Amino acid sequence: MKKILLLMALLAIASIQAQEKISSKKKKFYIPVIRYSEYPALDNVLTQTAFYQMDKSLQEEESKLKKYYFNIDGYIKDPVNGKLKIYLTFDLPKYTTTQIDSSYNKKENRWVYDAHSNYVTSVRLDVRYGDKILLTKDFGGSESYSISVGNSMGAMRIAAAEHDKKIRAAVSDSDYSDDGFENVIYKAAGRVQSFLNYKFGYTTDESKVRFEFVTSKGHSEYKQMLDFETEITAQMQKITLEKGLDEKLLMPHLQYLESLLVKYPPSPQNVNIRFIVTNNLAETYLLLENKEKALLYANLLVENDKLDSRGSSIIERVNNANFVDKKIRSHTNRFVELKKLGLKIAEEKEEKRLAFFEKIQQQDAEWEIEKSNREAYLEKIKTQRHNLLDSIPYQLNANLLAKVVDNLGGSQALKKVEKAHLYSKISIEGTNIPQTEEKWATTSHYLLKKKMPESYYEIVNGAEAWSHDDREKGVNAKWAKLTAYDYSNLSKNVDLVNFLTDLRLDLWNNFEVLGEEMYEGKLCYHLNYFEKTLSSGNRTIPKTDYHVFIDKENFNIVSTEKTEFDNGNKSFFEKKLFGDYRPVTALNSGKIPHKINYEIEDFNGETFYQEIREKVEINPVFGNRIFMKEVYFGGFK
């Protein structure tokens, strides 16, 4: 029995020793960071203006303040039209007294005397962005101005008395030309400017991040910890001022590390592994700007008591950082844009420079109107689709519409479609290059991603639309913002019924049933809507001609055709022929097209290609397929 107990004790000791024997290595990363303003509203504000209210006696000081002060870090000064507006009211400094201080110079073994005049200053600060007051503060205090330095107390007393008499006489005569008044104003302004930089400034910096990685290959957790090391190392090397860590790729690793804190509870034997895990969790959540979790694991790191300052260092960094509810702050590529803006301003004359800012303001105002209209349009087509599906019996050609909708799964099924993903193979006539298309859409977003074999993107993100084409612009191409015309065409895909089936419910009540017609060997209903507009000469001219052919037997859409006109002349033609329908379970056994033949004619000539939709997902969990941080964060600069 004693032998058994001894053996068990030895096994327990060996187990404890196995936990203790975990070696690790430190790895340091130096990453670029932006020190944010406290105010998220300013993340995309690039210009600032300071306005002054000062006594007439201080006109000379006012001109110097405008020239040399209130250059807030991360902004360009604009005399009039800056978006960040700083209002400063300077009261006249009040002279109080002239004072003498003494200090002992050990090297020269003598006393040194300094006579300085003291003033009370008062500055009121108001900071605004648009019509919103961001901050109001009063800066009261005393400033001093040195008038003389010497070795004789008697000489200093005489100089101080004369200066006191001179200043009091000047104040009596409302003469504020003495250097003392001017200098204390600049000192007060300096204090205000330091405060403004602290509260509102943006600066670039480099941050040192220290991770701890396991090197004990025999340890049971080595392989999974190595996976985390590989992932975080790869991501740390890609961090820029515009792009941080990808939380979705890191989440499985973070969940694993968090589970280790349960697997290895606090004990003297688990100090090392808990130190490694809590350090890595705290550092990672700090970089992900998750304040709550960064503080949680930083405090656990301190409590682990491994005599290391990293826990308290992370807590200090978290408390000094400006986070916004676990959400990465969005901002322009501020420092590149400021450089461009500053150079442009420096090269232009005053009139052109002011016109430049007026143009920016006008463009901003126009964009806000356009953005509002686009967002209203997206909401409108969503509401219109739901209303139409709820009231089919009251629509034009109600019987035909009801049968088409039932064939697609029914109105209730179509109303529940909130997102969809299509993956297709494309075969273009005259080429053997393999090409694919991936389309993704919600009721406000849309992506077309082609591989041909270079990447090509078209994206609708709310009110914005962007494109990117490596084939034409090279691997370093920037995103191009699409025109209102292109946005109009792409945004049709956020109507998910149209996205899946090419059925334009928003135009249904405009269609006229022309009758029955044989089309591709099938007897079809032929629907037409000829949209017209007014020319500059107030004449009615064609805009878009729509045709839809619906199988009279099973109510599938056989084909759609669209012809666009530019100033009355044909400019674009597109025909889609739906050759194969397959059932989709998510739509209550409704069928949607899986094989589509396209015929396009525009200024590039004629194009024929076939799309085979290999995968269709409706309301799935998409993971990180679209609008990933590496693609969309930073506004496509």
Side-chain angles (χ1 to χ4, degrees), residues 22-38:
I22 177 171
S23 57
S24 63
K25 63 182 176 184
K26 298 176 184 176
K27 191 179 285 189
K28 298 177 183 177
F29 299 93
Y30 294 88
I31 60 171
V33 293
I34 290 180
R35 303 298 180 194
Y36 291 109
S37 157
E38 286 188 19

Side-chain angles (χ1 to χ4, degrees), residues 266-310:
S267 72
Q269 294 79 27
N270 293 334
V271 166
N272 287 339
I273 191 167
R274 286 181 67 85
F275 170 80
I276 293 168
V277 171
T278 52
N279 174 74
N280 291 349
L281 284 169
E283 289 283 12
T284 306
Y285 279 118
L286 172 60
L287 293 172
L288 290 171
E289 300 196 6
N290 187 327
K291 182 175 182 178
E292 181 182 338
K293 286 200 170 184
L295 284 175
L296 169 66
Y297 294 112
N299 280 304
L300 287 177
L301 183 57
V302 172
E303 293 170 11
N304 195 57
D305 193 25
K306 197 173 180 288
L307 301 179
D308 191 285
S309 63
R310 270 181 264 184

Side-chain angles (χ1 to χ4, degrees), residues 182-230:
E182 182 178 281
N183 279 278
V184 296
I185 284 175
Y186 299 152
K187 283 188 176 182
R191 285 195 296 121
V192 177
Q193 178 161 295
S194 297
F195 175 79
L196 287 169
N197 276 325
Y198 169 69
K199 299 289 280 187
F200 298 95
Y202 290 81
T203 56
T204 57
D205 200 355
E206 188 175 69
S207 179
K208 180 173 75 173
V209 182
R210 293 179 294 176
F211 284 94
E212 192 97 0
F213 298 119
V214 174
T215 56
S216 306
K217 294 185 179 180
H219 195 277
S220 59
E221 309 298 341
Y222 174 73
K223 184 181 181 305
Q224 281 186 273
M225 284 192 168
L226 179 61
D227 291 340
F228 169 72
E229 177 185 352
T230 303

Side-chain angles (χ1 to χ4, degrees), residues 145-422:
Y145 170 59
S146 180
I147 60 172
S148 183
V149 178
N151 302 324
S152 169
M153 172 63 85
M156 285 299 102
R157 284 177 175 171
I158 293 171
E162 290 178 351
H163 182 76
D164 183 80
K165 183 178 179 181
K166 173 188 171 185
I167 295 298
R168 292 189 185 281
V171 171
S172 178
D173 296 335
S174 299
D175 180 6
Y176 300 97
S177 59
D178 181 80
D179 288 346
F181 289 97
E182 182 178 281
N183 279 278
V184 296
I185 284 175
Y186 299 152
K187 283 188 176 182
R191 285 195 296 121
V192 177
Q193 178 161 295
S194 297
F195 175 79
L196 287 169
N197 276 325
Y198 169 69
K199 299 289 280 187
F200 298 95
Y202 290 81
T203 56
T204 57
D205 200 355
E206 188 175 69
S207 179
K208 180 173 75 173
V209 182
R210 293 179 294 176
F211 284 94
E212 192 97 0
F213 298 119
V214 174
T215 56
S216 306
K217 294 185 179 180
H219 195 277
S220 59
E221 309 298 341
Y222 174 73
K223 184 181 181 305
Q224 281 186 273
M225 284 192 168
L226 179 61
D227 291 340
F228 169 72
E229 177 185 352
T230 303
E231 179 62 38
I232 197 70
T233 300
Q235 289 208 36
M236 292 295 287
Q237 292 167 351
K238 297 177 182 177
I239 288 178
T240 66
L241 290 176
E242 290 77 46
K243 185 181 80 170
L245 297 177
D246 188 329
E247 186 172 4
K248 290 180 180 177
L249 293 178
L250 285 171
M251 193 50 64
H253 300 287
L254 295 174
Q255 290 172 349
Y256 161 70
L257 291 177
E258 290 172 348
S259 73
L260 292 183
L261 296 178
V262 178
K263 186 175 181 181
Y264 297 95
S267 72
Q269 294 79 27
N270 293 334
V271 166
N272 287 339
I273 191 167
R274 286 181 67 85
F275 170 80
I276 293 168
V277 171
T278 52
N279 174 74
N280 291 349
L281 284 169
E283 289 283 12
T284 306
Y285 279 118
L286 172 60
L287 293 172
L288 290 171
E289 300 196 6
N290 187 327
K291 182 175 182 178
E292 181 182 338
K293 286 200 170 184
L295 284 175
L296 169 66
Y297 294 112
N299 280 304
L300 287 177
L301 183 57
V302 172
E303 293 170 11
N304 195 57
D305 193 25
K306 197 173 180 288
L307 301 179
D308 191 285
S309 63
R310 270 181 264 184
S312 57
S313 173
I314 294 171
I315 290 171
E316 182 180 1
R317 285 159 59 198
V318 172
N319 289 332
N320 290 336
N322 293 314
F323 297 156
V324 185
D325 299 331
K326 304 179 186 177
K327 196 173 185 180
I328 298 293
R329 285 272 284 274
S330 64
H331 55 87
T332 61
N333 192 348
R334 173 180 292 273
F335 299 96
V336 174
E337 293 302 314
L338 285 175
K339 187 175 181 181
K340 293 178 185 176
L341 190 58
L343 289 173
K344 191 176 182 75
I345 292 172
E347 292 169 357
E348 291 176 343
K349 294 181 180 179
E350 185 69 8
E351 291 179 356
K352 289 186 178 180
R353 191 181 62 79
L354 293 174
F356 169 71
F357 281 98
E358 289 173 2
K359 182 179 179 182
I360 290 177
Q361 282 188 323
Q362 181 63 32
Q363 288 174 344
D364 286 348
E366 290 173 354
W367 166 243
E368 288 301 319
I369 294 172
E370 176 67 12
K371 181 180 177 181
S372 176
N373 290 339
R374 291 182 181 184
E375 289 171 346
Y377 166 75
L378 294 181
E379 188 61 29
K380 177 185 175 183
I381 61 172
K382 179 181 176 181
T383 304
Q384 188 177 17
R385 176 165 66 97
H386 280 226
N387 290 342
L388 187 137
L389 290 171
D390 281 336
S391 57
I392 289 176
Y394 305 98
Q395 309 304 319
L396 289 178
N397 304 303
N399 292 334
L400 178 57
L401 176 60
K403 292 174 182 177
V404 172
V405 169
D406 286 341
N407 186 57
L408 294 173
S411 60
Q412 293 306 311
L414 293 182
K415 282 172 60 181
K416 291 177 182 177
V417 177
E418 294 180 354
K419 46 189 173 180
H421 173 233
L422 308 177

Side-chain angles (χ1 to χ4, degrees), residues 25-238:
K25 63 182 176 184
K26 298 176 184 176
K27 191 179 285 189
K28 298 177 183 177
F29 299 93
Y30 294 88
I31 60 171
V33 293
I34 290 180
R35 303 298 180 194
Y36 291 109
S37 157
E38 286 188 19
Y39 300 88
L42 301 177
D43 284 348
N44 294 300
V45 174
L46 300 180
T47 56
Q48 57 96 2
T49 300
F51 302 92
Y52 303 88
Q53 184 174 348
M54 306 181 74
D55 191 274
K56 293 180 180 179
S57 304
L58 302 174
Q59 287 182 354
E60 185 177 345
E61 286 75 11
E62 181 179 351
S63 65
K64 289 184 179 179
L65 287 175
K66 288 181 177 179
K67 187 173 183 181
Y68 298 112
Y69 284 84
F70 304 108
N71 298 290
I72 311 305
D73 293 337
Y75 300 86
I76 284 283
K77 273 181 71 172
D78 174 56
V80 180
N81 297 316
K83 289 192 174 181
L84 174 63
K85 293 180 169 55
I86 303 162
Y87 298 88
L88 298 138
T89 302
F90 282 80
D91 292 341
L92 277 169
K94 295 179 181 179
Y95 171 73
T96 55
T97 185
T98 298
Q99 186 176 340
I100 299 173
D101 287 335
S102 61
S103 60
Y104 187 72
N105 188 324
K106 290 184 179 180
K107 289 184 179 180
E108 298 182 8
N109 193 28
R110 63 183 176 83
W111 287 91
V112 177
Y113 303 96
D114 173 30
H116 51 269
S117 55
N118 298 320
Y119 302 80
V120 174
T121 59
S122 176
V123 183
R124 180 173 177 80
L125 170 70
D126 289 285
V127 183
R128 301 187 182 196
Y129 170 54
D131 58 356
K132 183 179 180 182
I133 298 176
L134 299 180
L135 182 142
T136 298
K137 184 176 177 63
D138 289 317
F139 290 83
S142 60
E143 307 287 351
S144 63
Y145 170 59
S146 180
I147 60 172
S148 183
V149 178
N151 302 324
S152 169
M153 172 63 85
M156 285 299 102
R157 284 177 175 171
I158 293 171
E162 290 178 351
H163 182 76
D164 183 80
K165 183 178 179 181
K166 173 188 171 185
I167 295 298
R168 292 189 185 281
V171 171
S172 178
D173 296 335
S174 299
D175 180 6
Y176 300 97
S177 59
D178 181 80
D179 288 346
F181 289 97
E182 182 178 281
N183 279 278
V184 296
I185 284 175
Y186 299 152
K187 283 188 176 182
R191 285 195 296 121
V192 177
Q193 178 161 295
S194 297
F195 175 79
L196 287 169
N197 276 325
Y198 169 69
K199 299 289 280 187
F200 298 95
Y202 290 81
T203 56
T204 57
D205 200 355
E206 188 175 69
S207 179
K208 180 173 75 173
V209 182
R210 293 179 294 176
F211 284 94
E212 192 97 0
F213 298 119
V214 174
T215 56
S216 306
K217 294 185 179 180
H219 195 277
S220 59
E221 309 298 341
Y222 174 73
K223 184 181 181 305
Q224 281 186 273
M225 284 192 168
L226 179 61
D227 291 340
F228 169 72
E229 177 185 352
T230 303
E231 179 62 38
I232 197 70
T233 300
Q235 289 208 36
M236 292 295 287
Q237 292 167 351
K238 297 177 182 177

